[in-house]
């Protein structure tokens, strides 16, 4: 949430910062701004409500000279999207400018103190309080910027990734983080700072991830120095990132979301690479095998996640219970941490997160680690906070996911969970060897089957034209297909703004069936697996009430085709892998409906990709 980018070096900063903001725009896009200290001892701040393109337009006739600057794209927490609330924020004397991602929880108390000391405020943000506090510390203690930042951050409760620049000092950026991500790019005679590596990768693949309470002193033509807010000097290792620029571009697709949907055969293969070996009938997940005793003796598996990742967790529950015979509970991280959960030291906790930065999941991890449970992180973004705070884990390896609606990360999460269940089940002998081999061979064929489904894109597009103007949708599934129904509904609502609900098919008659009429499209996942006959009965119940049914069916289906109004065929597979296939047409359906409705598919209103606030 919110994107931060900063640059100091020998090139003009403005083009680098604007390009960086475009790359970070998926993190928030209600306002944008830039601060540029220049050699004339000026500190120019330009900011506007709206998108990065609005900022770029606004800056057309402005002085944007200089080889240092910081920039921000916002997802509002405190204060509505407006010019005043956009970052960067000046301090009172306009000699400092600051950008921030996170939340200052005690901002009200700090603001009162500052007001008592003569400070006035231009915005309703928590961020402006921080920049004023830094200035106050600087003046009060007659100290340098770094020390003032240290003093201010010691008074702050909350989460922050910040970058600060000052007038009369075009050779210095101070950056700091706590519970919000920040990464430095180390180039030749230039340094970058950003919320993630996407604005940096074009210039250097050498990065340093800041840790909580780190302050980076980034000086022109000098190695970056690190000190904590408690004034302990630190060093950091430079990491080489394996990310390519093409991963950050649309590659000819109209939207990142469509590109990412179509990437899934490849991303699923990447996810299996080096892990699934069908020639030797083996699945190797070192994160599990290196900790086999913990996994095999686990009393219970707890899965913690949010949103789409939570839906993947629900599929995980079915997989681990069926194939490993371990009891599983799946919890929203945000709910889990605020009750009084019972956590056993012999629990395995699996946390699932695309970004690896979701604040609620990070906080839940803290809680379970304190209780002595073993934490396994299932994550996409390499080097993000969750993998750095877990005992072991697996990456999904799908590359950057830029579309705000998660697609390729979800299917890869399902793939990793499937591999985990196979790996544990085989070692625990809860999967007999011949069955293991059957399942492994089938898993290996999943990317090809996804490829086959993607060929039905045109048909799904036609179907989307029929339902674009529906006001409500219901998605139904049973067993493994129930989480798919939830995920299908989430995809539709987040990008098309059509109300949609996912429901266990059999629960319909306990209430929601009252909603059914011919205005209400029902998407039913009716693939040929264990609950097939039951789902057919549920579809009949809907048809008997004039509902319009779009059914996702297996290729060999004959029955549902005669009952449903429309069918989308997908290849048959093992029931436990069905979700990886069944979600693909639902991703496409949501995508095309949203495009028909002229929605901003990659940046839906009110959303942001990485939810770094609670
Ligand atoms: C939906 C979506 C969100 C995320 C959720 C968790 O398409 O993307 O629901 O799944 O915010 O994010 P991560 O997986 O980064 O923890």
């Amino acid at each position: 949430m919110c994107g931060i980018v900063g640059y100091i070096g020998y090139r003009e900063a403005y083009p680098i910062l604007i390009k960086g903001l475009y790359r970070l725009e998926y993190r928030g896009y209600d306002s944008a701004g830039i601060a540029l200290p220049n050699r004339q001892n000026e500190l120019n701040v330009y900011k506007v409500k709206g998108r990065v393109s609005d900022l770029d337009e606004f800056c057309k006739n402005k002085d944007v000279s200089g080889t240092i600057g910081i920039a921000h794209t916002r997802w509002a927490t405190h204060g509505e999207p407006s010019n005043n609330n956009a970052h960067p924020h000046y301090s009172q004397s306009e000699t400092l400018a600051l950008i921030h991602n996170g939340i200052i929880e005690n901002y009200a108390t700090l603001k009162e103190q500052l007001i008592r000391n003569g400070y006035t405020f231009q915005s309703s943000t928590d961020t402006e309080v921080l920049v004023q506090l830094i200035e106050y510390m600087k003046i009060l203690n007659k100290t340098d910027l770094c020390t003032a930042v240290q003093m201010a951050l010691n008074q702050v409760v909350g989460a922050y990734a910040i970058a600060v620049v000052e007038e009369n000092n075009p050779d210095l950026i101070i950056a700091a983080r706590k519970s919000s991500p920040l990464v430095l790019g180390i180039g030749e005679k230039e340094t970058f700072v950003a919320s993630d590596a996407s604005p940096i990768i074009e210039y250097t693949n050498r990065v340093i991830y800041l840790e909580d309470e780190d302050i980076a002193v980034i000086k022109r033509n000098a190695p970056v120095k690190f000190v904590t807010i408690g004034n302990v000097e630190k060093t950091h290792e430079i990491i080489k990132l394996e990310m390519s620029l093409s991963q950050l571009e649309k590659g000819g697709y109209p939207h990142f979301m469509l590109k990412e949907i179509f990437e899934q055969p490849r991303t699923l293969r990447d996810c299996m690479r080096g892990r699934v070996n069908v020639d030797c009938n083996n699945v190797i997940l070192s994160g599990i095998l290196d900790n086999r005793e913990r996994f095999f003796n686990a009393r219970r598996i707890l899965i913690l996640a949010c949103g789409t990742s939570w839906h993947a967790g629900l599929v995980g529950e079915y997989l681990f219970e069926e194939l490993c015979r371990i009891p599983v509970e799946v919890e929203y991280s945000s709910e889990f941490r605020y009750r009084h959960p019972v956590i056993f030291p012999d629990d395995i906790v699996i946390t699932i997160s695309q970004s690896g930065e979701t604040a609620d999941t990070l906080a839940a991890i803290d809680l379970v680690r304190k209780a002595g449970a073993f934490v396994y992180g299932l994550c996409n973004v390499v080097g993000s906070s969750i993998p750095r705070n877990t005992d072991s884990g697996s990456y999904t390896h799908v590359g950057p996911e830029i579309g705000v609606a998660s697609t390729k990360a979800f299917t890869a999460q399902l793939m990793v969970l499937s591999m985990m269940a196979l790996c544990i089940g085989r070692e625990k002998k809860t999967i007999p060897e011949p069955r293991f081999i059957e399942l492994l061979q089938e898993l290996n064929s999943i990317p090809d089957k996804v490829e086959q489904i993607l060929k039905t894109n045109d048909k799904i597009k036609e179907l989307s034209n029929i339902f674009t103007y529906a006001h409500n949708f219901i998605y139904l599934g049973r067993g493994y297909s129930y989480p798919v129904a939830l995920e299908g509904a989430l995809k539709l609502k987040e990008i098309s703004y059509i109300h949609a609900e996912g429901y266990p098919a059999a629960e319909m008659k306990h209430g929601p069936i009252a909603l059914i009429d011919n205005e209400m499209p029902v998407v039913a996942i009716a693939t040929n697996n264990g609950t097939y006959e039951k789902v057919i009965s549920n579809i009949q119940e809907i048809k008997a009430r004039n509902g319009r049914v779009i059914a996702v069916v297996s290729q060999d289906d004959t029955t549902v085709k005669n009952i449903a109004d429309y069918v989308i065929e997908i290849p048959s597979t093992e029931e436990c892998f069905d979700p990886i296939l069944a979600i693909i047409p639902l991703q496409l359906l949501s995508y095309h409906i949203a495009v028909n409705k002229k929605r901003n598919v990659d940046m839906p209103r009110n959303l942001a990709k990485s939810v770094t606030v609670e």
Side-chain angles (χ1 to χ4, degrees):
M1 289 192 147
C2 299
I4 284 181
V5 58
Y7 174 79
I8 184 166
Y10 57 90
R11 311 181 215 218
E12 279 299 297
Y14 181 81
I16 294 174
L17 296 175
I18 285 290
K19 204 175 206 185
L21 286 186
Y22 277 120
R23 293 219 192 280
L24 289 172
E25 209 171 10
Y26 71 90
R27 301 179 70 93
Y29 31 83
D30 59 48
S31 50
I34 197 160
L36 300 153
N38 65 22
R39 291 266 163 225
Q40 292 76 50
N41 290 334
E42 294 159 337
L43 173 54
N44 292 317
V45 170
Y46 308 117
K47 52 187 190 171
V48 292
K49 178 180 169 189
R51 307 285 298 272
V52 176
S53 52
D54 298 312
L55 174 68
D56 200 14
E57 192 55 40
F58 180 76
C59 290
K60 282 262 150 64
N61 303 315
K62 305 281 186 301
D63 175 8
V64 292
S65 61
T67 52
I68 170 175
I70 56 175
H72 187 268
T73 175
R74 181 170 185 246
W75 186 88
T77 55
H78 291 71
E80 56 172 19
S82 68
N83 291 347
N84 274 358
N85 288 338
H87 300 209
H89 288 282
Y90 271 132
S91 60
Q92 180 114 317
S93 64
E94 299 195 354
T95 55
L96 301 181
L98 176 141
I99 53 177
H100 168 221
N101 169 25
I103 289 186
I104 309 298
E105 286 170 16
N106 60 337
Y107 81 99
T109 323
L110 295 170
K111 191 169 182 175
E112 266 173 40
Q113 284 166 17
L114 288 161
I115 290 170
R116 279 201 298 276
N117 285 292
Y119 279 80
T120 54
F121 289 82
Q122 311 302 318
S123 79
S124 41
T125 64
D126 51 339
T127 303
E128 194 183 6
V129 174
L130 183 53
V131 70
Q132 304 277 41
L133 183 63
I134 294 170
E135 176 172 296
Y136 182 50
M137 288 298 110
K138 197 164 177 269
I139 295 169
L140 192 70
N141 299 290
K142 298 188 178 54
T143 187
D144 63 13
L145 182 59
C146 177
T147 313
V149 168
Q150 239 170 4
M151 288 172 161
L153 292 180
N154 273 304
Q155 299 171 53
V156 156
V157 178
Y160 52 79
I162 58 165
V164 201
V165 288
E166 62 182 338
E167 193 183 77
N168 300 329
N169 194 354
D171 296 322
L172 177 71
I173 300 175
I174 300 288
R177 78 152 265 175
K178 185 179 179 191
S179 305
S180 288
L182 211 54
V183 56
L184 301 185
I186 311 296
E188 287 293 323
K189 297 198 163 93
E190 58 185 353
T191 307
F192 304 79
V193 55
S195 300
D196 64 45
S198 59
I200 295 175
I201 202 71
E202 190 169 344
Y203 310 97
T204 177
N205 65 352
R206 299 168 72 234
V207 300
I208 292 173
Y209 289 97
L210 261 63
E211 287 169 3
D212 276 353
E213 305 199 343
D214 278 355
I215 298 178
V217 182
I218 310 166
K219 280 196 177 148
R220 191 183 295 281
N221 296 329
V224 181
K225 284 200 177 141
F226 299 96
V227 62
T228 65
I229 64 169
N231 205 24
V232 178
E233 283 187 23
K234 284 182 81 170
T235 53
H236 276 290
E237 217 179 298
I238 295 181
I239 295 169
K240 272 199 169 174
L241 269 191
E242 285 174 25
M243 191 194 277
S244 73
L245 203 54
S246 65
Q247 289 177 309
L248 303 172
E249 284 166 358
K250 287 189 196 142
Y253 286 91
H255 297 100
F256 280 109
M257 183 179 176
L258 192 64
K259 177 190 177 210
E260 286 159 6
I261 292 174
F262 272 83
E263 275 176 343
Q264 290 175 106
R266 181 183 57 74
T267 52
L268 288 167
R269 286 185 193 109
D270 288 348
C271 182
M272 283 194 287
R273 184 159 301 119
R275 292 165 167 174
V276 168
N277 185 333
V278 279
D279 298 329
C280 324
N281 288 320
N282 215 352
V283 55
I284 299 170
L285 283 175
S286 52
I288 290 184
L289 297 173
D290 293 350
N291 301 287
R292 39 165 54 84
E293 293 308 317
R294 296 234 37 164
F295 275 92
F296 307 150
N297 299 323
R299 176 196 294 233
R300 175 181 70 156
I301 292 177
L302 259 173
I303 301 182
L304 304 177
C306 303
T308 288
S309 298
W310 182 79
H311 296 155
L314 290 179
V315 177
E317 176 175 23
Y318 291 73
L319 281 163
F320 292 125
E321 292 197 338
E322 181 190 342
L323 301 177
C324 313
R325 308 304 297 144
I326 303 174
V328 181
E329 279 170 46
V330 188
E331 304 262 5
Y332 286 117
S333 311
S334 52
E335 285 299 312
F336 177 79
R337 51 183 295 220
Y338 285 114
R339 48 188 184 78
H340 299 281
V342 179
I343 306 156
F344 303 107
D346 51 355
D347 277 342
I348 294 278
V349 177
I350 300 174
T351 57
I352 308 178
S353 174
Q354 187 286 128
S355 62
E357 300 292 351
T358 299
D360 283 315
T361 303
L362 273 164
I365 289 173
D366 266 2
L367 189 75
V368 292
R369 287 195 84 175
K370 279 186 191 129
F374 181 87
V375 186
Y376 195 89
L378 206 165
C379 235
N380 187 42
V381 178
V382 176
S384 55
S385 299
I386 290 179
R388 288 189 284 131
N389 281 296
T390 45
D391 297 300
S392 180
S394 300
Y395 283 113
T396 43
H397 290 310
V398 301
E401 188 181 64
I402 295 172
V404 164
S406 187
T407 53
K408 63 176 180 175
F410 177 68
T411 48
Q413 287 165 350
L414 299 184
M415 178 57 83
V416 174
L417 289 164
S418 305
M419 292 188 288
M420 288 176 76
L422 287 179
C423 187
I424 301 168
R426 182 193 216 181
E427 297 271 334
K428 275 193 80 185
K429 303 203 185 324
T430 45
I431 312 176
E433 193 60 15
R435 179 74 182 133
F436 171 83
I437 293 170
E438 236 170 56
L439 286 170
L440 193 69
Q441 296 285 341
E442 181 55 29
L443 191 66
N444 196 47
S445 73
I446 291 292
D448 292 347
K449 293 185 174 178
V450 170
E451 212 157 326
Q452 239 175 291
I453 300 171
L454 291 171
K455 291 189 181 134
T456 62
N457 182 37
D458 286 345
K459 192 183 163 199
I460 296 171
K461 192 173 172 185
E462 272 170 38
L463 196 58
S464 75
N465 296 337
I466 304 170
F467 291 101
T468 297
Y469 298 100
H471 293 295
N472 300 284
F473 269 74
I474 289 188
Y475 285 68
L476 299 179
R478 292 184 80 148
Y480 280 95
S481 300
Y482 164 51
V484 180
L486 293 178
E487 175 61 8
L490 177 63
K491 285 290 88 80
L492 186 71
K493 58 191 153 195
E494 65 186 332
I495 59 168
S496 71
Y497 319 148
I498 296 174
H499 169 247
E501 269 189 61
Y503 231 80
E507 282 292 305
M508 277 296 282
K509 41 190 175 305
H510 299 287
I513 201 158
L515 296 169
I516 300 296
D517 60 18
N518 68 353
E519 301 279 295
M520 170 74 88
V522 177
V523 179
I525 300 138
T527 46
N528 197 356
N529 59 41
T531 52
Y532 179 65
E533 303 292 340
K534 307 274 178 207
V535 176
I536 291 178
S537 308
N538 300 139
I539 294 176
Q540 296 280 24
E541 289 155 12
I542 292 158
K543 284 310 299 170
R545 286 156 184 86
N546 282 332
R548 287 193 297 164
V549 176
I550 306 160
V552 177
V553 298
S554 306
Q555 236 154 24
D556 48 8
D557 181 273
T558 48
T559 316
V560 181
K561 278 183 188 158
N562 293 325
I563 315 170
D565 299 77
Y566 306 92
V567 294
I568 304 170
E569 289 181 307
I570 61 172
S572 297
T573 184
E574 291 285 350
E575 182 172 6
C576 57
F577 307 141
D578 220 29
I580 312 181
L581 301 186
I583 192 59
I584 308 286
L586 305 189
Q587 293 171 345
L588 286 168
L589 185 67
S590 317
Y591 171 79
H592 290 300
I593 290 179
V595 170
N596 289 347
K597 289 179 84 80
K598 305 205 179 340
R599 303 302 193 210
N600 188 338
V601 172
D602 284 334
M603 291 176 213
R605 72 181 178 205
N606 303 339
L607 294 179
K609 184 74 185 159
S610 177
V611 185
T612 54
V613 295
E614 294 171 24

